[in-house]
Amino acid sequence: MNIRNLNSNENYPMGLLLLADPSLKIVEEYVKRGNCFIAESENQIIGTYVLLPTRPETVELVNIAVAEEMHGKGIGKQLVLHAIQTARRKGFKTIEIGTGNSSIGQLALYQKCGFRIVGVDADFFIRHYTEKICENGIQCRDMIRLSQDL
Ligand code: COA
């Protein structure tokens, strides 16, 4: 597997990006301002992540996704660790990520990669998404904010 920056003449991997974020409008808005990376294997795009500078010295991992048939093989973890390394190499001092209260696997993955929970944005998904989101039998309402010093 090779992870690289998406070139400016290449299309965004929208199918993958929408796995992580169901709002096309929100994805289209941040992907243009951010830095999109792709993971390729045998000429197929199997994963992606997007880094978006937010405040001075702070970058947010606003999207991370792995092709559904490739889940559970360690690719997501490699992408998160690559994003952390990239942010550090670019001189950022803090990397942040947010995920839903119902995203149990993602909360496990991010904490295994060194993120700590720093806050809760209550009712974020109620305010910003029109569709009701449910995972693991839990309604997704709140954004759990995680952060890591680089
Ligand atoms: N409890 C404990 N650990 C769990 C867990 C759970 N319920 N679910 C996952 N994990 C752990 C795994 O054990 C693994 O850790 P390990 O390597 O120490 O065993 C780690 O989390 C992730 O495994 P990995 O195989 O690298 O993940 P993946 O390749 O399936 O990718 C996602 C993870 C989230 C990127 C992938 O599931 C995905 O694309 N989901 C849809 C998009 C999405 O939700 N993106 C994030 C939006 S916030």
Side-chain angles (χ1 to χ4, degrees), residues 19-20 64-66 70-77 98-99 104-106 108-110 112:
L19 279 181
I64 176 156
V66 170
M70 305 293 279
H71 284 183
K73 295 178 189 290
I75 298 168
K77 196 171 189 180
T99 193
I104 305 301
Q106 288 81 344
L109 167 62
Y110 304 148
K112 283 179 174 182

Side-chain angles (χ1 to χ4, degrees), residues 23 26 121 123-130:
S23 169
I26 294 175
D121 191 346
D123 285 330
F124 177 90
F125 293 96
I126 307 285
R127 284 185 274 114
H128 295 285
Y129 290 78
T130 46

Side-chain angles (χ1 to χ4, degrees), residues 50-81:
V50 179
L51 282 175
L52 178 71
T54 49
R55 298 188 299 281
E57 303 194 324
T58 301
V59 70
E60 182 166 345
L61 185 49
V62 284
N63 193 304
I64 176 156
V66 170
E68 272 169 312
E69 65 278 12
M70 305 293 279
H71 284 183
K73 295 178 189 290
I75 298 168
K77 196 171 189 180
Q78 284 186 61
L79 286 173
V80 175
L81 295 175

